[in-house]
Amino acid sequence: MATARLDYVAPWWTYWLHNFPHLNFVFQSVDNTFKPEEPSYQQSVIVFAFIGAAGLCLSLLLLAVYLLWLCVCRQDIDEETKRPNTCCVTWAAVFSGLIICSAVGVGFYGNSETNDGMYQLTYSLYNANHTLGSINNMVTGAMNNAESGLKQHLERLDEIFSMRPDLLQSLRFMQLMVNNVIQEMTALPDLSAANGDLGAVADQTAFVEYYRWLTYLLLLIFDLVICLTLCLGMAKQSRWLLILIMGLVVLSMVLSWVSLGAGMATAVGTSDFCVSPDKFIVNQTKDFLTADVAHYYLFCSPNLPNPFQQSLTICHRSVTTMQIQVQNLLRLTVPIFPSAEKDLLGIQRLLNSTEFSLHQLTALLDCRGIHKDYVDALIGMCYDGVEGVLYLSLFSLLAAGALSAMLCTTLRVWTLMGSRDREYDDIDEEDPFNPQARRLSYNPRRSNIHSFCSYTSSIGSQTSFPPPPQSASNTLQPPEYMNQAMLFGGSPRYENMPLIGRGSPPPSYSPSMRTPYMSMTEAQIRHFGTDFQI
């Protein structure tokens, strides 16, 4: 059987993380050996968690500087550019969203890899725990058979054979064999403590992993919701949506930096264990396991002797010897002592059951089963587990940076919306060239008044000349060109009334307007002559 060091080789990323400088709170170098019970090592792991806190402080500082720049340079930007260029803001938002989406994809992969590794770890722990539990049950069953069942039958046979010294000598020999079995079973190491520890570790690992997986899943979905909300807010240019986006971005940015710190501390600590797991396990099990037993299961080398071989051999030989004695007693004593048959058959059944348990116990105590679970647990934790944590740390880093850029973009969009509102406030509602003012001042009765020029000019008032006759239909509906203009945005393409006399440029007339506006009544011809007639 190959050794554990040939079956399990720590991956390169665990060595890379293991070689990171380990510093305590006063930035002094400490030993990078996995010793979670020592305060100095605990401080070195917490220092790696401070990476997330340092990144969060740096992000908040850069955001504060950017916000200060926006406040100080806001007036200069508004005065220099009447219409600010929003192209850079749009592309910045697009790139930030793409980076976040890419980071979310990396996060989903890392979350799945970590969950797979932790599932393999817990499965192996439960399997090893089941093996140790079966060993304890078989040892306990064999000892109960020997101490209670066999001794009771031997005591009754001792009373029956009290008058036969030769038969009593055979019973004494069987009693010696029973004592040998009990003694060798007692000499076997008590694995109940290891059984309880593995069960507790497996339960705790499964509990923590479930909530870790769920937390990262919610964080990934939360980042996607932020991207969708940002797109909606920039499309609608809604202030309350932007406020909501800024709050969500700040919260997600804080969570991303926190997850980065937790991921780095977990990855480094786990890598320190994965580089040299045997030494840590031997130190943790020295209270209830001897060093030779721990090395037998951790390395499972053919060069290492089986520490249980001698005890199991003695038990097998003792049981076989008792079976031979029982068969001889059944052949010799039953015809003479018929009452002894029941106890002899009871001893035979117990010996057969004990022999079967010893064969199963020998197979379970072999190092190959537990060693396989040990290697599978290491592969699940150190390969898939640590690799997934590294991908999750990359997700946290990318998401935190992209969310910081997204927050800057949102603040810039807020300022641009303020500039747009101020531009609308500067428009004069009485300006005749303001489309909104023309829509508000439009009167269908005035739009149908035909005139050659302003009747309020120096020649005379409009009342001096009777207007041309109008049909009832013209007085109720605006001209056709006005209806078309109102359908396309409400801004007339052509002026609905002359602008002469108001200091405005001459109006533009459409071909359909030219005939009614340039026509003259008979009174106008008598007054002006034919100079202006077409």
Side-chain angles (χ1 to χ4, degrees):
M1 180 67 185
T3 64
R5 296 191 181 278
L6 294 178
D7 293 340
Y8 165 75
V9 178
W12 64 267
W13 52 82
T14 58
Y15 285 101
W16 177 61
L17 294 171
H18 176 68
N19 292 327
F20 279 3
H22 289 58
L23 306 175
N24 56 14
F25 290 160
V26 293
F27 297 100
Q28 294 178 350
S29 179
V30 298
D31 187 15
N32 59 0
T33 304
F34 185 72
K35 298 177 180 178
E37 68 279 357
E38 293 186 1
S40 59
Y41 182 81
Q42 295 175 1
Q43 292 179 7
S44 66
V45 174
I46 295 175
V47 168
F48 285 104
F50 284 160
I51 295 177
L56 177 60
C57 294
L58 181 62
S59 297
L60 294 177
L61 179 61
L62 293 177
L63 290 173
V65 172
Y66 181 76
L67 184 60
L68 181 63
W69 177 79
L70 283 180
C71 294
V72 172
C73 302
R74 187 171 179 177
Q75 292 181 348
D76 297 338
I77 295 176
D78 293 340
E79 291 177 359
E80 292 177 1
T81 58
K82 184 66 177 177
R83 287 182 174 271
N85 188 8
T86 60
C87 180
C88 294
V89 178
T90 303
W91 281 110
V94 170
F95 283 136
S96 299
L98 291 177
I99 292 175
I100 291 178
C101 292
S102 302
V104 167
V106 174
F108 272 113
Y109 176 76
N111 199 31
S112 177
E113 283 291 303
T114 306
N115 184 257
D116 292 341
M118 292 300 100
Y119 175 79
Q120 184 174 348
L121 171 63
T122 54
Y123 179 81
S124 301
L125 290 177
Y126 281 127
N127 196 18
N129 184 65
H130 176 72
T131 302
L132 295 178
S134 300
I135 292 174
N136 290 329
N137 293 333
M138 289 183 180
V139 171
T140 303
M143 291 184 64
N144 290 334
N145 289 337
E147 289 180 350
S148 60
L150 291 177
K151 284 187 175 183
Q152 290 178 1
H153 289 296
L154 289 176
E155 288 176 358
R156 285 194 292 268
L157 289 176
D158 187 69
E159 295 177 357
I160 296 174
F161 299 152
S162 59
M163 302 304 294
R164 296 285 303 269
D166 56 339
L167 298 179
L168 290 177
Q169 186 177 1
S170 298
L171 294 178
R172 299 291 182 273
F173 181 76
M174 292 179 61
Q175 183 67 43
L176 180 62
M177 295 295 103
V178 171
N179 293 333
N180 288 337
V181 171
I182 294 175
Q183 183 179 357
E184 296 301 329
M185 287 293 176
T186 307
L188 293 176
D190 186 11
L191 301 178
S192 58
N195 184 22
D197 290 343
L198 285 179
V201 171
D203 292 337
Q204 187 176 3
T205 302
F207 177 81
V208 173
E209 170 57 22
Y210 172 74
Y211 285 100
R212 184 212 61 81
W213 173 83
L214 182 61
T215 301
Y216 270 102
L217 181 63
L218 294 177
L219 181 60
L220 294 168
I221 297 175
F222 185 54
D223 288 344
L224 290 179
V225 170
I226 289 177
C227 291
L228 296 177
T229 309
L230 177 64
C231 296
L232 182 62
M234 294 189 66
K236 290 186 172 295
Q237 295 188 356
S238 174
R239 288 186 177 275
W240 71 268
L241 273 179
L242 291 180
I243 294 174
L244 177 62
I245 290 170
M246 287 187 284
L248 296 179
V249 167
V250 171
L251 177 60
S252 181
M253 184 178 65
V254 172
L255 293 177
S256 297
W257 285 116
V258 170
S259 65
L260 176 62
M264 286 299 300
T266 303
V268 172
T270 307
S271 298
D272 293 338
F273 169 79
C274 292
V275 168
S276 181
D278 305 328
K279 184 185 299 184
F280 175 76
I281 294 176
V282 170
N283 292 331
Q284 293 296 314
T285 58
K286 63 183 179 180
D287 294 335
F288 52 88
L289 285 181
T290 58
D292 57 340
V293 174
H295 285 95
Y296 173 71
Y297 285 115
L298 294 178
F299 298 103
C300 196
S301 172
N303 299 324
L304 294 175
N306 187 345
F308 312 110
Q309 186 63 44
Q310 184 178 358
S311 298
L312 293 174
T313 301
I314 293 174
C315 290
H316 278 290
R317 289 177 179 177
S318 299
V319 171
T320 302
T321 302
M322 285 189 289
Q323 287 176 335
I324 295 174
Q325 291 292 328
V326 169
Q327 290 177 358
N328 292 331
L329 289 174
L330 282 172
R331 188 181 69 254
L332 297 175
T333 61
V334 169
I336 303 173
F337 303 98
S339 59
E341 183 179 7
K342 180 179 179 181
D343 291 315
L344 290 174
L345 292 177
I347 292 175
Q348 192 177 38
R349 285 193 298 269
L350 290 175
L351 290 176
N352 292 334
S353 175
T354 303
E355 184 182 18
F356 179 75
S357 298
L358 287 175
H359 284 295
Q360 285 187 324
L361 184 60
T362 302
L364 290 175
L365 287 174
D366 188 80
C367 65
R368 287 173 291 183
I370 295 179
H371 177 70
K372 180 181 182 302
D373 295 331
Y374 170 67
V375 173
D376 290 342
L378 288 179
I379 291 176
M381 179 173 59
C382 301
Y383 278 82
D384 294 340
V386 177
E387 182 185 8
V389 172
L390 288 178
Y391 278 112
L392 289 175
S393 300
L394 178 61
F395 150 73
S396 300
L397 181 61
L398 293 176
L403 288 169
S404 300
M406 182 178 291
L407 187 58
C408 295
T409 303
T410 308
L411 293 173
R412 181 58 178 157
V413 171
W414 181 277
T415 58
L416 292 177
M417 289 178 62
S419 301
R420 183 198 63 180
D421 294 340
R422 285 194 302 274
E423 288 178 8
Y424 286 164
D425 292 338
D426 293 339
I427 296 177
D428 187 5
E429 295 182 355
E430 296 181 358
D431 187 357
F433 292 99
N434 181 9
Q436 184 176 2
R438 289 200 298 269
R439 288 196 300 268
L440 295 175
S441 62
Y442 170 70
N443 187 351
R445 293 186 178 273
R446 293 180 57 190
S447 63
N448 292 327
I449 299 177
H450 299 274
S451 60
F452 171 72
C453 59
S454 177
Y455 293 152
T456 61
S457 61
S458 59
I459 300 176
S461 63
Q462 184 179 351
T463 56
S464 303
F465 308 99
Q470 301 178 6
S471 62
S473 61
N474 290 335
T475 60
L476 294 178
Q477 299 179 357
E480 180 181 358
Y481 78 94
M482 287 298 297
N483 293 333
Q484 296 176 355
M486 296 300 288
L487 289 174
F488 293 95
S491 300
R493 181 180 177 185
Y494 302 100
E495 300 292 339
N496 62 341
M497 59 181 297
L499 301 177
I500 299 176
R502 297 194 298 173
S504 300
S508 57
Y509 295 99
S510 66
S512 61
M513 294 171 58
R514 189 174 184 83
T515 301
Y517 277 140
M518 299 307 294
S519 63
M520 300 176 62
T521 62
E522 295 180 359
Q524 291 172 340
I525 293 174
R526 286 195 302 268
H527 182 77
F528 293 99
T530 60
D531 295 336
F532 297 98
Q533 189 174 8
I534 298 176

